[in-house]
Amino acid sequence: LQIFKSLDLSKFRGEIKVEDIRKSSVARLFFGKPKLKSESAKRDRDVVFLLAKAPLNHQDPKHLQVLQTLYKRVMSDSRSCPVFGSHWANLGFQGNDPSTDFRGAGLFGLLQLVYMAEREKDLVIRLLKLSRTHDQKFPFAVVSLNWSGTVMQALREGKLFGMINGKEYKGDVFGVCNEFHSAIFYAFLLKWKNEYRNIIHFGEVREQLDKKARSNPSELMRQLKRYRAEQTARVSKLEAFRGATCSSSSGKNSNDHVKISRF
């Protein structure tokens, strides 16, 4: 994130639209126009849209560093990869040059992919596995960039302001945006897998999830948190089982040693 924040994005200032709050919304009639409370949150909100306008530049070492980080994290490979090549298709890009798929989401889309690869490893593994199945395959990276678009629109509409202003996130715009992106992707995973969807249905699924995410983002965030809790509990049980197995095995070996010694 600090790499992105250090970029000079001033030339895109005149191109961004940071608010799209509908005057007729019921919430606005009762509570007024939603607002971000802190100036730092407002600045970070603007940075989100500035990053979305910034294209991936292969000549910029910082851009390439983040792109390489994405490949290494998702593919669990410590080696650097060529800037161009068919290997990007393994991540769900549509061609040999991933920069062409970032149009619309820009560097913000790249940031969200990297965040999920680093913070939601189990979810990424499940998504990649499903994306490569014969009957339900989909372009992982391209779908991710679609959800970045949903995140940006929800932010424009003020739908994420409540979470950003709240006690949990305390003005952390990027924290909310990145977790919301993961939450949408998790909802997509459930729908795609359980309803046995394939690429023919993507437009329909995208429209449904986009509407659901923007109308009730808190519900999707709660769903993601339940999933995380379940995963944490599963890992804890597995570790406890392994520990008990090791202890049992150790005790058995100890008894065997005693018997041999007595003999």
Side-chain angles (χ1 to χ4, degrees), residues 36 40-42 44-45 48 155 164 171-178:
L36 290 172
S40 62
K42 293 176 184 176
D44 283 350
R45 183 268 316 272
V48 166
L155 184 61
I164 293 170
D172 185 359
V173 173
F174 283 96
V176 170
C177 286
N178 288 332

Side-chain angles (χ1 to χ4, degrees), residues 61-131:
K62 292 181 179 179
H63 292 201
L64 291 181
Q65 178 184 345
V66 178
L67 190 62
Q68 290 288 341
T69 298
L70 171 64
Y71 186 85
K72 291 175 182 179
R73 293 289 188 275
V74 175
M75 302 304 294
S76 298
D77 192 338
S78 61
R79 298 170 297 177
S80 296
C81 64
V83 176
F84 305 104
S86 59
H87 53 280
W88 291 110
N90 295 328
L91 271 70
F93 289 102
Q94 297 182 102
N96 293 339
D97 180 2
S99 67
T100 59
D101 287 324
F102 283 103
R103 296 168 186 167
L107 294 181
F108 178 64
L110 176 57
L111 168 66
Q112 297 218 290
L113 272 166
V114 172
Y115 173 89
M116 193 165 65
E118 292 185 337
R119 303 291 184 88
E120 305 287 350
K121 294 180 180 179
D122 183 80
L123 177 58
V124 169
I125 290 171
R126 292 183 64 184
L127 283 164
L128 278 175
K129 182 178 180 180
L130 183 61
S131 76

